[in-house]
Amino acid sequence: QVQLVESGGGLVQAGDSLRLSCAASGRTFSNSAMGWFRQAPGKERDFVAAIRWNGGSTHYADSVKGRFTISRDGAKNTVHLQMNSLKPEDSAVYYCAVGNGVILSAIRAKLSYNYWGQGTHVTVSS
């Protein structure tokens, strides 16, 4: 079993930055991927970014590319999402997720992830 705890959400103004963190505990897998997804009210949960634990390759949704950066701290089993130049449309609940054996072609798919955090709220005012 894997437990994920997100932190770092909050209320900011457009153009500001936030850094989300996701701490993983319990059983982890060397060939896993960790991802961030977000869900705005009344909308689907969408892929934001992901990183493969081995190798560290990163993947981003087009809407956040160039503004968001995902990184990992292997020693602390923690993944960060640095969000810069935030826009009102970035407002959502952000979820961290872990998937075991995620294949590259499916790294953006929710179904690839086995464990989810409780979510952290991000609100960007205009």
Side-chain angles (χ1 to χ4, degrees):
Q1 195 74 354
V2 176
Q3 294 80 41
L4 302 172
V5 178
E6 301 105 330
S7 60
L11 171 64
V12 297
Q13 292 186 331
D16 285 351
S17 298
L18 274 177
R19 188 190 195 212
L20 305 184
S21 297
C22 175
S25 60
R27 183 182 181 189
T28 56
F29 307 97
S30 60
N31 60 340
S32 65
M34 292 188 73
W36 286 97
F37 291 76
R38 66 187 182 186
Q39 187 168 18
K43 296 190 175 182
E44 296 286 320
R45 188 173 298 188
D46 292 329
F47 171 79
V48 176
I51 186 167
R52 296 183 72 92
W53 205 251
N54 281 346
S57 65
T58 57
H59 310 267
Y60 298 95
D62 288 343
S63 59
V64 306
K65 202 172 292 185
R67 299 189 297 123
F68 291 12
T69 302
I70 188 170
S71 61
R72 73 190 193 290
D73 182 338
K76 297 181 180 180
N77 270 356
T78 299
V79 170
H80 304 288
L81 185 68
Q82 178 66 41
M83 306 186 295
N84 298 330
S85 302
L86 282 162
K87 305 175 181 180
E89 50 264 43
D90 294 318
S91 298
V93 178
Y94 282 70
Y95 296 91
C96 174
V98 171
N100 177 41
V102 177
I103 60 175
L104 194 57
S105 60
I107 202 166
R108 291 173 171 81
K110 292 188 293 290
L111 292 178
S112 295
Y113 295 84
N114 311 99
Y115 302 97
W116 294 81
Q118 81 287 352
T120 185
H121 288 259
V122 172
T123 303
V124 184
S125 63
S126 56

